[in-house]
């Protein structure tokens, strides 16, 4: 706050503004060719994007999808298996898909999705 009794502070602020304003005006004029932007290094830009994406995607890969995994209330713990009539075919069940989730796994542990998530950084 400026004191009303002394105008020395106000005069000093006014003088500094005039000095800085004059110096800024001298440097504000662009060069003859105009302003030029520097070229972007594509490798550094992609490296930074990949690193940032890795930090953002890594927690999603390990996110626990079944909140009741390894508990008595887990509904994915119940599997269904169908035994074909012909003895030459293998039984088909849901344990292949629900097993990793009921054990507390995330998207990385799923059979098909886990391989696709391996292509993402993180």
């Amino acid at each position: 706050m400026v004191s009303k009794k002394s105008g020395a502070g106000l005069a000093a602020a006014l003088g500094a503004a005039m000095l800085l304003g004059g110096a800024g005006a001298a440097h504000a004029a662009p060069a003859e060719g105009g302003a030029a932007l520097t070229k972007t290094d594509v490798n550094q830009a992609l490296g930074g994007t990949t690193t940032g994406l890795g930090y953002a995607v890594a927690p999603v890969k390990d996110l626990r999808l079944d909140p009741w995994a390894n508990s008595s209330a887990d509904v994915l713990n119940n599997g269904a298996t169908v035994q074909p009539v012909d003895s030459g075919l293998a039984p088909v069940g849901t344990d292949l898909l629900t097993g990793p989730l009921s054990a507390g796994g995330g998207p990385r542990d799923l059979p098909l999705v886990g391989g696709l998530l391996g292509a993402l950084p993180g």
Side-chain angles (χ1 to χ4, degrees), residues 20-49:
L20 292 176
H27 295 291
E32 246 179 62
L37 297 175
T38 59
K39 293 185 179 182
T40 303
D41 187 9
V42 177
N43 290 333
Q44 284 185 350
L46 288 177
T49 303

Side-chain angles (χ1 to χ4, degrees), residues 48-102:
T49 303
T50 304
T51 303
L53 186 63
Y55 285 117
V57 171
V60 175
K61 287 182 179 181
D62 296 326
L63 183 68
R64 188 173 173 176
L65 296 178
D66 185 11
W68 295 306
N70 296 325
S71 70
S72 61
D74 187 14
V75 295
L76 294 178
N77 198 11
N78 301 328
T81 303
V82 176
Q83 180 70 33
V85 178
D86 295 337
S87 62
L89 298 174
V92 178
T94 61
D95 292 335
L96 180 66
L97 182 62
T98 61
L101 295 178
S102 66

